[in-house]
Amino acid sequence: MRSVKFLAVNTLFGLVILYLANVLGGLGIPYSLPVLLICAILGAPGAIAVIILNLFGIAF
């Protein structure tokens, strides 16, 4: 039960970071299945990795 709770909180933080980057930064990162899975599994570090990859022009 503890790992499920950790995964849910981690997923929420990752998606919030991605949403804020899109709204405040105007990055225009699409919410595709690979992006959502990366944010769901890796959380905040995954969202930051997606943002960095988007800045280098590597899209999902």
Side-chain angles (χ1 to χ4, degrees):
M1 184 69 173
R2 182 177 174 168
S3 63
V4 173
K5 188 178 192 181
F6 175 75
L7 183 62
V9 171
N10 203 19
T11 300
L12 183 64
F13 279 137
L15 292 176
V16 167
I17 289 172
L18 187 64
Y19 174 76
L20 290 176
N22 276 334
V23 171
L24 299 177
L27 296 178
I29 300 171
Y31 297 108
S32 63
L33 184 61
V35 170
L36 293 176
L37 286 175
I38 289 171
C39 287
I41 294 171
L42 299 176
I48 293 169
V50 167
I51 292 168
I52 291 171
L53 289 173
N54 184 43
L55 291 175
F56 284 124
I58 302 171
F60 289 95

